[in-house]
């Protein structure tokens, strides 16, 4: 099955740099600690710059994931044309305004048009876009656009429910901390019944967010 490697890679919106400059992050963290009036040499903080650099490497790995390798061996040709739905995909992201976590669940559906993606890959795609400095609206859209590019399906739907620690911790109105965003493409946009089937499916038996 042919995959347009160029358009898939472009759709993944990767960064140009292939490596994170860990030493520079460590130095910057030391500087922040000092600027805060802390003593970066006290025992509890000694290894903090190193830990923070490691943490960013892990939490922001999505910029450097190879999207073609991610999906290439998991595309299958099928004649199935009913909705494929994966709900309650946990995600952990960082808001780009405060570099604080927003976390929650994503629900992803598509209508196959000759090909499907292995089920375990959908959470990996969510992860690829979550592990970046993000805003929830863009992340939602990127997941939808990426699957649209890879699968050329009849439609894609993505709903993301997120809880934003920058709202909760910074003492603005706490009820603003939860946000729901959605992206509807193809039949999910044009066909009310398809969209409603998806929305009914993700709300049926839904657990309220645990947080
Ligand atoms: Zn924020």
């Amino acid at each position: 099955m042919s995959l347009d490697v160029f358009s898939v890679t472009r759709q993944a919106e990767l960064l140009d740099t292939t490596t994170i400059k860990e030493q520079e992050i460590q130095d910057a963290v030391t500087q922040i600690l000092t600027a805060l009036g802390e003593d970066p040499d006290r025992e509890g903080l000694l290894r903090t710059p190193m830990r923070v650099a490691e943490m960013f490497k892990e939490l922001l790995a999505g910029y450097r994931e190879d999207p073609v390798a991610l999906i290439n061996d998991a595309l299958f040709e099928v004649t199935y044309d009913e909705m494929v739905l994966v709900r309650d995909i946990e995600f952990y992201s960082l808001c780009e305004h405060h570099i604080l976590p927003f976390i929650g669940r994503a629900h992803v559906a598509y209508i196959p048009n000759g090909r499907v993606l292995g089920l375990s890959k959908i959470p990996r795609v969510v992860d690829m876009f979550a592990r970046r400095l993000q805003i929830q609206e863009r992340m939602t859209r990127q997941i939808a656009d990426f699957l649209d590019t890879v699968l050329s399906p009849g439609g894609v739907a993505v709903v993301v429910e997120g809880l934003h620690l920058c709202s909760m911790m910074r003492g603005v109105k706490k009820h603003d901390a939860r946000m729901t965003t959605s992206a509807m493409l193809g039949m999910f946009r044009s066909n009310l019944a398809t969209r409603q089937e998806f929305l009914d499916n993700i709300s049926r038996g839904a657990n309220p967010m645990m947080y």
Side-chain angles (χ1 to χ4, degrees):
M1 185 172 316
S2 72
L3 192 66
D4 181 344
V5 171
F6 174 73
S7 82
V8 168
T9 304
R10 187 178 50 78
Q11 203 65 65
E13 301 191 38
L14 308 172
L15 288 188
D16 286 339
T17 52
T18 52
T19 51
I20 282 180
K21 293 175 180 145
E22 286 189 59
Q23 186 57 52
E24 290 186 25
I25 298 173
Q26 291 191 34
D27 295 346
V29 172
T30 303
Q31 247 186 309
I32 291 171
L33 291 171
T34 307
L36 290 169
E38 269 285 0
D39 172 11
D41 291 325
R42 73 176 169 85
E43 202 191 341
L45 294 178
L46 262 185
R47 290 162 56 80
T48 297
M50 195 196 70
R51 292 192 195 96
V52 173
E54 279 295 312
M55 177 195 74
F56 277 127
K57 192 175 164 187
E58 184 181 350
L59 299 189
L60 301 178
Y63 289 122
R64 293 165 183 83
E65 190 143 9
D66 179 349
V68 176
L70 175 67
I71 53 171
N72 213 9
D73 60 346
L75 282 177
F76 306 103
E77 279 180 69
V78 290
T79 50
Y80 186 76
D81 62 356
E82 297 292 327
M83 186 183 305
V84 174
L85 169 67
V86 185
R87 52 179 264 189
D88 295 319
I89 302 166
E90 259 182 52
F91 75 87
Y92 299 86
S93 190
L94 291 174
C95 93
E96 69 183 13
H97 299 142
H98 304 93
I99 321 186
L100 281 172
F102 68 98
I103 61 181
R105 302 185 297 200
H107 314 287
V108 176
Y110 64 96
I111 312 283
N113 181 24
R115 59 168 72 159
V116 295
L117 183 61
L119 209 57
S120 68
K121 299 295 185 177
I122 303 255
R124 297 278 309 277
V125 171
V126 170
D127 250 2
M128 178 172 69
F129 290 109
R131 288 175 174 250
R132 303 173 181 213
L133 295 180
Q134 275 289 17
I135 61 170
Q136 186 177 320
E137 295 89 334
R138 184 176 61 222
M139 182 181 92
T140 306
R141 184 71 202 198
Q142 284 174 328
I143 295 165
D145 285 343
F146 183 76
L147 291 172
D148 197 44
T149 300
V150 168
L151 294 168
S152 305
V156 182
V158 179
V159 166
V160 175
E161 302 169 82
L163 192 70
H164 291 250
L165 265 66
C166 61
S167 293
M168 299 174 73
M169 295 176 73
R170 293 170 57 256
V172 291
K173 291 177 196 136
K174 307 246 192 254
H175 60 258
D176 287 338
R178 278 164 203 250
M179 181 158 78
T180 302
T181 47
S182 67
M184 303 281 168
L185 305 178
M187 289 169 67
F188 289 96
R189 174 174 284 273
S190 62
N191 187 324
L192 185 62
T194 304
R195 182 163 69 244
Q196 199 54 50
E197 183 188 342
F198 167 67
L199 294 174
D200 287 348
N201 260 309
I202 64 173
S203 59
R204 186 175 304 142
N207 303 315
M209 266 166 67
M210 325 167 256
Y211 318 108

